[in-house]
mmCIF file of all heavy atoms in Angstrom:
data_model
loop_
_atom_site.group_PDB
_atom_site.id
_atom_site.type_symbol
_atom_site.label_atom_id
_atom_site.label_comp_id
_atom_site.label_asym_id
_atom_site.label_seq_id
_atom_site.Cartn_x
_atom_site.Cartn_y
_atom_site.Cartn_z
ATOM 1 N N VAL A 17 50.937 -16.568 3.734
ATOM 2 C CA VAL A 17 50.062 -15.763 2.891
ATOM 3 C C VAL A 17 49.110 -14.959 3.776
ATOM 4 O O VAL A 17 48.390 -15.625 4.605
ATOM 5 C CB VAL A 17 49.243 -16.648 1.988
ATOM 6 C CG1 VAL A 17 48.117 -15.838 1.254
ATOM 7 C CG2 VAL A 17 50.182 -17.378 0.988
ATOM 8 N N THR A 18 49.141 -13.631 3.800
ATOM 9 C CA THR A 18 48.202 -12.842 4.518
ATOM 10 C C THR A 18 47.110 -12.527 3.611
ATOM 11 O O THR A 18 47.127 -12.230 2.484
ATOM 12 C CB THR A 18 48.900 -11.599 4.993
ATOM 13 O OG1 THR A 18 50.121 -11.884 5.596
ATOM 14 C CG2 THR A 18 47.993 -10.717 6.034
ATOM 15 N N MET A 19 45.801 -12.652 4.232
ATOM 16 C CA MET A 19 44.589 -12.436 3.378
ATOM 17 C C MET A 19 43.582 -11.540 4.112
ATOM 18 O O MET A 19 43.519 -11.499 5.306
ATOM 19 C CB MET A 19 43.960 -13.689 2.940
ATOM 20 C CG MET A 19 43.435 -14.696 3.964
ATOM 21 S SD MET A 19 41.686 -14.073 4.505
ATOM 22 C CE MET A 19 40.857 -14.168 2.921
ATOM 23 N N GLY A 20 42.692 -10.917 3.248
ATOM 24 C CA GLY A 20 41.566 -10.185 3.705
ATOM 25 C C GLY A 20 40.585 -10.053 2.628
ATOM 26 O O GLY A 20 40.630 -10.810 1.562
ATOM 27 N N ILE A 21 39.624 -9.108 2.681
ATOM 28 C CA ILE A 21 38.693 -8.932 1.682
ATOM 29 C C ILE A 21 38.932 -7.530 1.028
ATOM 30 O O ILE A 21 39.455 -6.666 1.686
ATOM 31 C CB ILE A 21 37.195 -9.036 2.092
ATOM 32 C CG1 ILE A 21 36.787 -8.021 3.115
ATOM 33 C CG2 ILE A 21 36.939 -10.435 2.583
ATOM 34 C CD1 ILE A 21 35.278 -7.957 3.388
ATOM 35 N N SER A 22 38.540 -7.461 -0.224
ATOM 36 C CA SER A 22 38.881 -6.300 -1.012
ATOM 37 C C SER A 22 38.046 -4.996 -0.592
ATOM 38 O O SER A 22 36.957 -5.274 0.107
ATOM 39 C CB SER A 22 38.650 -6.525 -2.474
ATOM 40 O OG SER A 22 37.309 -6.627 -2.804
ATOM 41 N N LYS A 23 38.451 -3.954 -0.758
ATOM 42 C CA LYS A 23 37.678 -2.656 -0.593
ATOM 43 C C LYS A 23 36.337 -2.690 -1.209
ATOM 44 O O LYS A 23 35.279 -2.380 -0.651
ATOM 45 C CB LYS A 23 38.439 -1.394 -1.044
ATOM 46 C CG LYS A 23 37.685 -0.131 -0.719
ATOM 47 C CD LYS A 23 38.551 1.039 -1.094
ATOM 48 C CE LYS A 23 37.792 2.348 -0.796
ATOM 49 N NZ LYS A 23 36.448 2.415 -1.106
ATOM 50 N N TYR A 24 36.269 -3.204 -2.481
ATOM 51 C CA TYR A 24 35.097 -3.414 -3.192
ATOM 52 C C TYR A 24 34.067 -4.335 -2.360
ATOM 53 O O TYR A 24 32.927 -3.875 -2.245
ATOM 54 C CB TYR A 24 35.285 -4.013 -4.593
ATOM 55 C CG TYR A 24 34.042 -4.342 -5.316
ATOM 56 C CD1 TYR A 24 33.315 -3.422 -6.010
ATOM 57 C CD2 TYR A 24 33.551 -5.732 -5.207
ATOM 58 C CE1 TYR A 24 32.065 -3.699 -6.602
ATOM 59 C CE2 TYR A 24 32.268 -6.108 -5.930
ATOM 60 C CZ TYR A 24 31.560 -4.971 -6.512
ATOM 61 O OH TYR A 24 30.392 -5.441 -7.183
ATOM 62 N N ALA A 25 34.577 -5.410 -1.849
ATOM 63 C CA ALA A 25 33.730 -6.265 -1.099
ATOM 64 C C ALA A 25 33.203 -5.575 0.186
ATOM 65 O O ALA A 25 32.028 -5.681 0.541
ATOM 66 C CB ALA A 25 34.547 -7.592 -0.805
ATOM 67 N N ALA A 26 34.111 -4.948 0.813
ATOM 68 C CA ALA A 26 33.707 -4.218 2.012
ATOM 69 C C ALA A 26 32.643 -3.190 1.730
ATOM 70 O O ALA A 26 31.609 -3.122 2.520
ATOM 71 C CB ALA A 26 34.937 -3.602 2.752
ATOM 72 N N ASP A 27 32.792 -2.391 0.701
ATOM 73 C CA ASP A 27 31.847 -1.424 0.363
ATOM 74 C C ASP A 27 30.523 -2.090 0.000
ATOM 75 O O ASP A 27 29.504 -1.542 0.396
ATOM 76 C CB ASP A 27 32.357 -0.527 -0.832
ATOM 77 C CG ASP A 27 33.459 0.367 -0.406
ATOM 78 O OD1 ASP A 27 33.709 0.478 0.779
ATOM 79 O OD2 ASP A 27 34.139 0.926 -1.322
ATOM 80 N N GLU A 28 30.666 -3.112 -0.624
ATOM 81 C CA GLU A 28 29.309 -3.770 -1.077
ATOM 82 C C GLU A 28 28.585 -4.380 0.113
ATOM 83 O O GLU A 28 27.366 -4.317 0.146
ATOM 84 C CB GLU A 28 29.625 -4.923 -2.075
ATOM 85 C CG GLU A 28 29.827 -4.501 -3.437
ATOM 86 C CD GLU A 28 28.557 -3.857 -4.054
ATOM 87 O OE1 GLU A 28 27.550 -4.502 -4.198
ATOM 88 O OE2 GLU A 28 28.707 -2.612 -4.395
ATOM 89 N N LEU A 29 29.322 -4.928 1.053
ATOM 90 C CA LEU A 29 28.788 -5.477 2.315
ATOM 91 C C LEU A 29 27.993 -4.381 3.144
ATOM 92 O O LEU A 29 27.104 -4.650 3.798
ATOM 93 C CB LEU A 29 29.753 -6.322 3.082
ATOM 94 C CG LEU A 29 30.158 -7.635 2.631
ATOM 95 C CD1 LEU A 29 31.405 -8.067 3.315
ATOM 96 C CD2 LEU A 29 29.108 -8.615 2.856
ATOM 97 N N GLY A 30 28.699 -3.222 3.158
ATOM 98 C CA GLY A 30 28.257 -2.243 4.012
ATOM 99 C C GLY A 30 28.785 -2.390 5.508
ATOM 100 O O GLY A 30 29.773 -3.119 5.646
ATOM 101 N N ASP A 31 28.194 -1.802 6.416
ATOM 102 C CA ASP A 31 28.694 -1.766 7.795
ATOM 103 C C ASP A 31 28.928 -3.314 8.276
ATOM 104 O O ASP A 31 27.962 -3.967 8.536
ATOM 105 C CB ASP A 31 27.686 -1.119 8.768
ATOM 106 C CG ASP A 31 27.551 0.350 8.395
ATOM 107 O OD1 ASP A 31 28.715 0.989 8.283
ATOM 108 O OD2 ASP A 31 26.491 0.883 8.346
ATOM 109 N N ILE A 32 30.191 -3.620 8.473
ATOM 110 C CA ILE A 32 30.466 -4.996 9.008
ATOM 111 C C ILE A 32 30.361 -5.042 10.475
ATOM 112 O O ILE A 32 30.917 -4.108 11.163
ATOM 113 C CB ILE A 32 31.849 -5.443 8.497
ATOM 114 C CG1 ILE A 32 31.785 -5.680 6.913
ATOM 115 C CG2 ILE A 32 32.284 -6.811 9.153
ATOM 116 C CD1 ILE A 32 33.014 -5.846 6.306
#
Side-chain angles (χ1 to χ4, degrees):
Chain A
V17 174
T18 306
M19 67 78 60
I21 64 170
S22 71
K23 180 176 186 313
Y24 171 83
D27 288 348
E28 281 298 300
L29 283 165
D31 296 309
I32 293 171

